[in-house]
Amino acid sequence: MKKGIIILSLALTMGFSAFAQFTDWGVRFGLGAATISDDLLTRSPVCAMDLGGYVNYGFENTAAFWADNLYLQLGANIVRRGARFEQVWELQRSYREGFYHLNYFEIPVLAAWKMELPFAEAEHYANLYVGPALGVGFFGRIWDRHVTPGFPQTSVNYDTYESQNRSDKKAFKHMRRFDISSRIGIGYKHNTLTVDLFWEHGFISLMKEQDVLRTLDAQSTENNNNNNNNTDNNINPYTGVNNALVLSIGYTLPLK
């Protein structure tokens, strides 16, 4: 379903672009809350950030009823995502905590619809946006601390900020660098001022992680580990994807 939404959005965007022309450009800056959805983690948000520019493609010359309202928006942004997390296994007396601070270069490709609001003064517009965003991680920090008394192995007990290996603190040494997400947003425009609220949801699990519960069980039951070694390696218990809610303000100017 998620892949179908991305493919449909890209197909519509490329199909309409043959009839499009540049209409205006703009810049925007936004802050909000970013988190990572994962069923196994208790998480809390970190500060999300979006900074970038965009160009709009309009269809004013197209002989269609939607020509004055529909447009495409292609952007280039620097974004910040991530989360704080905590994980507790009471029976194993195991505790994990940390954070991800992830920075991406992101290209959103959005289909947008604008409507002029019924105000006495002209140039008040409401906007709706939807489309995919492609991201490439270029810098990030990670803190991951795990404590399990009775298991001295470094695979179970570790702290990336205490490690002698500097790469342990670099997020994209552990996490996938490429991300695909969807953007859904609403906006308001008056003259050159814009205000936008975006919700972004990722589709790609950020990393492949070993299941700690399986690791503990394998260490205590060697025979079980031998019987299930192949199948365990194919299971990724980490389901975390990026999510962010961002409120931004911007400035836009016409290109014609």
Side-chain angles (χ1 to χ4, degrees):
M1 182 64 179
K2 294 178 179 179
K3 292 182 179 179
I5 294 174
I6 295 175
I7 294 172
L8 178 60
S9 299
L10 287 172
L12 290 173
T13 299
M14 291 185 292
F16 285 139
S17 63
F19 305 98
Q21 59 181 356
F22 290 105
T23 58
D24 49 324
W25 67 276
V27 294
R28 61 166 64 104
F29 172 74
L31 296 173
T35 187
I36 294 175
S37 62
D38 181 50
D39 295 337
L40 297 178
L41 294 175
T42 301
R43 67 267 181 193
S44 58
V46 297
C47 181
M49 184 274 292
D50 278 51
L51 172 64
Y54 60 87
V55 291
N56 291 335
Y57 296 81
F59 302 90
E60 287 84 352
N61 297 330
T62 304
F65 70 92
W66 43 260
D68 292 334
N69 301 97
L70 182 67
Y71 64 98
L72 304 178
Q73 186 175 102
L74 176 65
N77 303 326
I78 301 297
V79 304
R80 183 177 189 260
R81 300 292 183 258
R84 299 180 184 276
F85 62 85
E86 185 180 40
Q87 201 169 20
V88 178
W89 297 274
E90 294 183 0
L91 294 179
Q92 287 80 21
R93 294 189 301 166
S94 182
Y95 178 72
R96 183 183 178 193
E97 63 177 338
F99 60 73
Y100 307 126
H101 294 168
L102 311 173
N103 300 283
Y104 295 88
F105 176 73
E106 188 177 79
I107 300 178
V109 182
L110 308 176
W113 185 268
K114 64 181 179 180
M115 301 163 289
E116 188 165 11
L117 298 174
F119 294 164
E121 184 182 1
E123 294 297 318
H124 291 269
Y125 291 93
N127 307 283
L128 300 175
Y129 309 88
V130 63
L134 309 178
V136 179
F138 66 92
F139 173 75
R141 302 290 287 180
I142 182 174
W143 177 47
D144 193 350
R145 175 177 175 265
H146 194 180
V147 178
T148 306
F151 289 91
Q153 295 85 349
T154 56
S155 61
V156 180
N157 288 275
Y158 55 83
D159 188 332
T160 58
Y161 265 48
E162 297 296 330
S163 173
Q164 299 297 318
N165 188 348
R166 293 185 178 182
S167 66
D168 286 344
K169 305 179 185 67
K170 298 178 180 179
F172 293 111
K173 292 291 186 179
H174 310 273
M175 312 183 80
R176 291 190 172 102
R177 192 173 292 272
F178 296 95
D179 193 23
I180 300 176
S181 59
S182 65
R183 274 202 172 205
I184 301 174
I186 58 175
Y188 166 76
K189 177 179 178 292
H190 177 56
N191 294 327
T192 60
L193 174 67
T194 63
V195 180
D196 299 282
L197 179 66
F198 285 100
W199 168 253
E200 188 168 292
H201 174 69
F203 293 141
I204 298 178
S205 296
L206 294 175
M207 68 176 76
K208 183 173 177 61
E209 190 172 79
Q210 188 179 38
D211 192 329
V212 175
L213 296 180
R214 242 186 225 104
T215 300
L216 295 176
D217 184 64
Q219 290 171 345
S220 61
T221 311
E222 184 176 356
N223 291 334
N224 185 59
N225 178 60
N226 293 332
N227 293 333
N228 295 287
N229 187 55
N230 293 330
T231 57
D232 287 351
N233 289 336
N234 295 325
I235 298 175
N236 182 17
Y238 190 86
T239 59
V241 296
N242 279 317
N243 288 281
L245 181 66
V246 178
L247 178 65
S248 65
I249 58 174
Y251 183 81
T252 182
L253 285 175
L255 284 169
K256 61 178 181 179

